[in-house]
Amino acid sequence: MKTPIETPLSLSTLPSIVFQFSSDGVMLTDDQRNVIDINPKFELITGYCREEIIGKKPSILSSGVHDKKFYDEMSASLKTHGNWCGDIWNTHKNGEIYLENLSITTVYGNDKKPLLYLAMIRDITEQRLHRDKLEHESLYDPLTNLPNRKLLTQTLEDSIQKDDLGDNKICVFYLDLDGFKQVNDNLGHHVGDQVLVEIATRFNRCLHKKGIISRIGGDEFAGILKANKSDLHHFKTLHEILNSVTTPLNLKGQDVVLSASIGVTFWPQSEKIESNKLLQQADFAMYQAKRKGKNRFETFDQSHIFDETKKSP
């Protein structure tokens, strides 16, 4: 239901001191969306002075980020409810894109038809960047910029929840670098960090659009791949990952040669299973790969657990 703001037609009745000194940018347009007035804060936020924007359409600020549907929904809200509020990416006069919180209110005349549109804007770019930074730090490894365990687990859980896999399944793998401790011991942790960064770059190239790999901690990584029940494409990708690790790295004038051991498991399984359990299965299979000579991958087999139990004192 529309709630008209009963306002005389003259702009002179607007509280000028609030208009001039508001901490928010203010823009007034007529019923045809032509700008008829702005306040100093609007000039500061957008970079446009009054002379440059009066008579223009607000679209002069458009960043190109939003599609036609976005603006159509904005117009529909103004027509139906008389207001719209949300975040929008706009362009400063200097060409920089910024994020603003925009609130638009329709001012109706005595005939109940739209007379003016009052837009209030606030630059929230810094707040969004800070929020995005905190979110990134919570989901990505600070050294390699790979997803961390939290993001991997979220992605895996989302994949499990989906019912549209069809003939596909999820390949979950756990990877540990062979010989990485010697790199740290002989060349130093700073060189070890360089190795991890380079290895992460190689992993990203192998998994481009095929899946996701995360750094769990130290020299341990885990990932997921979409796999088809009727082919072995996921095994081909795992071989590519192994080969990417064994390609020598030149550090401090000498080649560093590593390998990797990978454990693999799959979802769905005959029984309901959670994401953490899948990672545990892949982790167990990874240790089997190490025991069988390293530089290889092993698929999880439930019987291996029983074999290990029998060996336990």
Side-chain angles (χ1 to χ4, degrees), residues 189-218:
H189 287 276
H190 65 289
V191 174
D193 287 348
Q194 293 176 38
V195 170
L196 292 173
V197 170
E198 173 58 28
I199 290 294
T201 300
R202 295 180 181 184
F203 287 162
N204 277 330
R205 285 199 292 264
C206 292
L207 287 172
H208 180 61
K209 295 183 178 180
K210 299 176 184 177
I212 178 176
I213 188 166
S214 69
R215 183 185 178 210
I216 301 300

Side-chain angles (χ1 to χ4, degrees), residues 11 13-14 17 30 49-50 88 98 143 233 284 302-303:
L11 293 177
T13 59
L14 290 172
I17 190 168
D30 60 22
C49 64
R50 294 186 79 259
I88 181 171
Y98 66 95
L143 176 64
H233 286 174
F284 184 87
Q302 189 73 31
S303 64

Side-chain angles (χ1 to χ4, degrees), residues 5 7 11 14-15 18-19 22 24-31 33-34 36-39 42 58 78 82-85 102-108 114-121:
I5 300 176
T7 305
L11 293 177
L14 290 172
V18 174
F19 184 80
S22 172
D24 293 332
V26 182
M27 175 178 65
L28 287 169
T29 69
D30 60 22
D31 61 334
R33 312 290 174 87
N34 299 303
I36 56 178
D37 205 2
I38 60 173
N39 73 344
F42 185 93
L78 287 172
N83 58 73
W84 182 89
C85 183
L102 171 63
S103 176
I104 307 175
T105 301
T106 305
V107 180
Y108 298 95
L115 174 66
L116 304 171
Y117 294 96
L118 171 65
M120 308 285 288
I121 69 171

Side-chain angles (χ1 to χ4, degrees), residues 11-154:
L11 293 177
S12 63
T13 59
L14 290 172
S16 60
I17 190 168
V18 174
F19 184 80
Q20 290 297 320
F21 297 101
S22 172
S23 60
D24 293 332
V26 182
M27 175 178 65
L28 287 169
T29 69
D30 60 22
D31 61 334
Q32 298 301 309
R33 312 290 174 87
N34 299 303
V35 179
I36 56 178
D37 205 2
I38 60 173
N39 73 344
K41 186 66 175 182
F42 185 93
E43 295 182 82
L44 183 63
I45 293 174
T46 67
Y48 288 94
C49 64
R50 294 186 79 259
E51 291 74 17
E52 293 173 311
I53 204 166
I54 298 300
K56 301 290 197 322
K57 301 285 187 183
S59 58
I60 190 176
L61 303 172
S62 177
S63 64
V65 171
H66 305 286
D67 57 15
K68 182 176 181 297
K69 180 181 178 183
F70 177 88
Y71 294 103
D72 287 345
E73 290 176 350
M74 179 190 294
S75 296
S77 179
L78 287 172
K79 183 176 181 180
T80 304
H81 306 292
N83 58 73
W84 182 89
C85 183
D87 296 341
I88 181 171
W89 290 98
N90 273 337
T91 305
H92 190 277
K93 181 184 175 182
N94 64 13
E96 294 181 0
I97 295 178
Y98 66 95
L99 182 67
E100 69 180 31
N101 180 258
L102 171 63
S103 176
I104 307 175
T105 301
T106 305
V107 180
Y108 298 95
N110 294 329
D111 57 1
K112 309 302 181 183
K113 293 182 180 179
L115 174 66
L116 304 171
Y117 294 96
L118 171 65
M120 308 285 288
I121 69 171
R122 178 170 296 181
D123 188 340
I124 59 170
T125 310
E126 289 300 320
Q127 295 95 309
R128 173 62 68 86
L129 291 176
H130 180 66
R131 188 193 76 182
D132 290 348
K133 180 175 181 292
L134 293 177
E135 182 177 355
H136 185 87
E137 291 174 349
S138 73
L139 297 174
Y140 289 85
D141 173 56
L143 176 64
T144 63
N145 204 37
L146 289 178
N148 60 18
R149 187 185 186 109
K150 178 181 178 181
L151 180 54
L152 177 73
T153 302
Q154 288 179 1

